[in-house]
């Protein structure tokens, strides 16, 4: 298989380490990396700022849907760092807060929001050479992706990682709140009607509960080499 020309879909549960490994793989092999979760987070932030999403995740669905044409999302690259841009503004830090995490899954369950973002994601993958991570990349966005991975780890392990990430950034959160958010998002993501989170039949499963970041990066590049016969 031509290794310059494939689509790599990495799906999995929240905070399962998929973004870290997807980003690293993209850098190693010279592919473009797209964080589809950042796009759902950016729509959520837009809704929160415009009073269409309350802090406890109540959504004014018709108004949010009619605002979709006003929401432009892009990624800005600076060296090896990538920033999510919402209507030209760098919102990378703001979209990662627990406040946005608490509201994103109800927003991501709205079919019209999903259709709009899936369309953008498919356009981004038109020329292939892309690593995209999310919840439905291997099942809905790119069902024909040449390489599919599905990541999981225990909820406690995932919450520990996310808690560390947030507190390292200076956000004041409790481990219990982070764990509750992880469990709640898993539930909403798995039970929504529109493209629920599930492992594609042809995805390779990875439980990385006991793996270090280096180990999971190595595992992923080995899989890529195997699939592309490098
Ligand atoms: O990084 P983390 O695992 O916390 O989540 P994320 O990848 O940033 O995604 C945030 C939320 O967006 C998820 O909990 C899902 O509700 C939603 N999402 C989705 O529905 N479909 C995707 N392809 C990506 C994210």
């Amino acid at each position: 298989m031509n290794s310059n020309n494939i689509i790599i879909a990495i799906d999995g549960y929240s905070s399962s380490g998929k973004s870290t490994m997807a980003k690293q793989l993209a850098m190693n092999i010279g592919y473009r990396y797209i964080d589809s979760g950042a796009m759902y987070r950016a729509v959520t932030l837009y809704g929160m700022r415009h009073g269409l999403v309350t802090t406890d995740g109540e959504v004014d669905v018709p108004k949010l849907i009619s605002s979709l044409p006003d929401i432009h999302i892009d990624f800005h690259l600076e060296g090896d760092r990538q920033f999510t841009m919402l209507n030209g503004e760098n919102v990378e830090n703001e979209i990662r807060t627990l406040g946005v995490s608490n509201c994103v899954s109800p927003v991501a369950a709205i079919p019209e929001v999903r259709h709009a973002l899936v369309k953008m994601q498919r356009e981004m993958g038109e020329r292939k050479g892309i690593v995209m991570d999310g919840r439905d990349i291997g099942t809905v966005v790119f069902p024909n992706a040449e390489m599919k991975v599905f990541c999981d780890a225990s909820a406690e392990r995932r919450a520990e990682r996310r808690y560390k990430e947030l507190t390292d950034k200076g956000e004041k959160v409790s481990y219990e709140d982070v764990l509750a958010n992880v469990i709640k998002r898993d539930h909403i993501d798995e039970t929504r009607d529109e493209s629920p989170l599930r492992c594609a039949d042809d995805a390779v499963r990875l439980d990385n509960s006991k793996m270090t970041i280096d180990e999971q990066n190595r595992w992923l590049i080995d899989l890529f080499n195997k699939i592309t016969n490098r």
Side-chain angles (χ1 to χ4, degrees):
M1 197 181 287
N2 177 358
S3 62
N4 292 323
N5 207 25
I6 76 165
I7 290 185
I8 300 172
I10 303 192
D11 289 302
Y13 287 90
S14 72
S15 319
S16 59
K18 57 190 187 316
S19 303
T20 309
M21 67 194 251
K23 213 178 293 171
Q24 188 61 46
L25 177 68
M27 226 152 62
N28 289 343
I29 62 177
Y31 274 29
R32 185 162 187 220
Y33 165 64
I34 299 293
D35 175 353
S36 69
M39 300 168 75
Y40 289 94
R41 287 173 179 273
V43 171
T44 305
L45 179 64
Y46 180 97
M48 292 172 85
R49 284 179 171 179
H50 290 80
L52 311 177
V53 178
T54 67
T55 47
D56 36 70
E58 292 288 321
V59 186
D60 184 336
V61 177
K63 281 207 182 128
L64 187 63
I65 293 172
S66 58
S67 300
L68 285 172
D70 303 328
I71 304 178
H72 301 284
I73 301 165
D74 212 344
F75 294 99
H76 179 71
L77 261 180
E78 227 175 82
D80 59 358
R81 296 181 67 198
Q82 183 162 302
F83 304 101
T84 308
M85 309 295 289
L86 170 61
N87 292 337
E89 177 192 346
N90 178 352
V91 291
E92 186 57 34
N93 290 335
E94 220 175 322
I95 59 168
R96 308 286 169 194
T97 57
L98 191 57
V100 171
S101 297
N102 280 332
C103 300
V104 62
S105 286
V107 169
I110 302 167
E112 288 81 355
V113 169
R114 302 203 69 81
H115 298 163
L117 295 190
V118 168
K119 184 166 173 280
M120 286 174 60
Q121 290 154 7
R122 288 188 179 141
E123 284 164 7
M124 291 169 174
E126 250 165 18
R127 281 177 289 135
K128 299 205 173 190
I130 195 168
V131 183
M132 193 176 288
D133 77 352
R135 301 289 188 287
D136 60 341
I137 311 305
T139 51
V140 174
V141 182
F142 298 121
N144 298 323
E146 291 84 352
M147 173 168 159
K148 297 183 186 179
V149 174
F150 190 86
C151 282
D152 197 7
S154 69
E156 288 73 18
R157 189 75 190 89
R158 291 185 282 123
E160 267 167 38
R161 290 174 181 156
R162 184 51 52 95
Y163 173 73
K164 182 170 183 316
E165 198 176 294
L166 291 171
T167 50
D168 281 353
K169 281 196 228 160
E171 201 173 332
K172 291 199 172 27
V173 290
S174 72
Y175 169 79
E176 287 69 30
D177 285 350
V178 174
L179 178 63
N181 173 258
V182 161
I183 293 171
K184 187 168 176 206
R185 273 198 292 141
D186 285 354
H187 178 72
I188 301 176
D189 293 346
E190 284 176 314
T191 55
R192 68 182 175 221
D193 290 335
E194 183 80 19
S195 44
L197 168 66
R198 65 170 186 83
C199 178
D201 296 337
D202 51 351
V204 181
R205 270 181 180 270
L206 172 70
D207 183 326
N208 60 16
S209 301
K210 298 197 173 103
M211 278 175 141
T212 63
I213 290 178
D214 279 350
E215 283 166 347
Q216 66 176 25
N217 285 342
R218 223 170 305 129
W219 180 90
L220 194 63
I221 194 108
D222 284 348
L223 182 68
F224 172 77
N225 288 337
K226 201 165 114 198
I227 288 177
T228 57
N229 295 317
R230 270 206 186 179

